[in-house]
Structures are given as C-alpha cells and as structure tokens.
Amino acid sequence: MQLQPGEVERFREVQPMHRNILIRVLMPSEAVVMSGIMLPLAFGQGGSARDTLLLVWFGSAIVLPLLIAFGLRLTTVVTDRRVLARFVPFSRKSIDLGAVESAEAIKYSPIADAGGWGVKFSKRFGTVLNVSGEHGVFVNYTKDGKPKKLLLGSERSGDLAEAIGVPPAS
C-alpha cells in the first residue's frame, strides 16, 4: 500500500488466505476431486480434446488453488491519517481517521454474522473484510455525510483498535 508523503505508519498486518483452515482443507480436496474427474476424461479423449481437458485440469486443480491459497490476502495499515485495508485483488478501503466515530475490537462468528470469510456485506457489520479467525475491529465512520460500517478481520484486533485510537461510543 502506498503511503502519502509525510504519512507515518502506526500498524500493519498482512493475513494470507492460506491461514484459513477451510482453505487448507478444501483446496487440496478440490485438486483431488478435479483430478479424479478431469484426468480420466482427458485420457479417454484424443488430440485437441485431450489437450483442452488437460489444460482445464491444470488450471482448476493446480493453478486456481495456488492462487486462492497464496494470492489472496488482507493487508491492513493504520497511519497517522488513515485506515487502509486491501483484500487483494478484490477490495480497497481508505478511511480518514477524522471520519472514524468508533473502533472496537470484537469477537464474532464469521459464518453466522458475516456469511463466511472474504469480502462480504452484512446488515450488522456493513462491509466485512476477513481471512480467518473470529476476531476483528468493528469501525463506524462517516463518508459523504452518511454513516458507514466496516468489520476488519484481524489476528491482532486489540492492536488494530488501539492504532485507530478512537474510543468506542458510549
């Protein structure tokens, strides 16, 4: 993430998707299932059909799981001016600290409260960016005069809330 000139970083956390236990279990399983389906189909064909099926197998059983496991990550940075969150390659948030009304470290249920991991939207938490675990920081802020909500998953939720430095509304 690109900091602006003179901006001072107060917190940084990078969470790769492969830390999620479901990803560590499902991606190898997906590769085995795709291999069991695609390879017999491919070798039962000849010529360009076989080549196409092998290419599909390679993409779905090898490349895709590696990209999901090692390419997806959530990077959260707090500077003296902004909260920056980037869920590569899908979402990017930048919130001025002056617009933050509250930031509270919480424990939540990713599936029940947010619909799972990744980039989500929930009525309770607004935009949700999370990779694994059940801890995060719930941020209430304003943008263009409208109240907004953001839940940032974090393995260091207490440090993240402290770095944002806004006491929860009472």
Side-chain angles (χ1 to χ4, degrees):
M1 279 187 215
Q2 199 75 15
L3 298 184
Q4 296 172 347
E7 208 168 11
V8 177
E9 187 175 295
R10 300 191 323 199
F11 175 89
R12 177 178 290 267
E13 181 178 28
V14 179
Q15 300 175 77
M17 193 64 149
H18 66 79
R19 288 190 186 157
N20 186 311
I21 188 70
L22 287 176
I23 293 298
R24 291 196 311 247
V25 170
L26 291 178
M27 288 299 101
S29 300
E30 186 270 344
V32 169
V33 169
M34 288 306 293
S35 296
I37 294 169
M38 298 302 291
L39 292 177
L41 282 174
F43 290 115
Q45 302 294 318
S48 66
R50 180 184 60 235
D51 295 344
T52 301
L53 287 168
L54 287 173
L55 186 60
V56 169
W57 166 79
F58 183 74
S60 62
I62 306 298
V63 176
L64 185 62
L66 289 174
L67 284 175
I68 289 172
F70 297 103
L72 297 179
R73 67 186 173 280
L74 173 61
T75 302
T76 306
V77 175
V78 179
T79 72
D80 56 339
R81 300 177 195 166
R82 308 179 285 165
V83 178
L84 303 163
R86 174 107 198 254
F87 196 106
V88 173
F90 302 111
S91 181
R92 181 184 306 219
K93 293 279 185 189
S94 177
I95 303 167
D96 290 333
L97 283 180
V100 175
E101 296 167 4
S102 66
E104 179 182 3
I106 64 167
K107 183 176 180 180
Y108 66 102
S109 171
I111 294 173
D113 294 334
W117 295 273
V119 179
K120 304 287 183 179
F121 184 82
S122 100
K123 287 184 179 183
R124 180 176 176 192
F125 295 118
T127 301
V128 178
L129 304 174
N130 60 4
V131 168
S132 65
E134 55 189 15
H135 296 276
V137 174
F138 180 46
V139 180
N140 286 291
Y141 65 102
T142 56
K143 183 175 181 181
D144 300 325
K146 297 178 184 172
K148 300 282 185 177
K149 300 182 280 187
L150 173 67
L151 175 59
L152 292 169
S154 175
E155 294 176 354
R156 299 170 35 216
S157 58
D159 294 340
L160 175 55
E162 185 179 322
I164 294 171
V166 179
S170 40

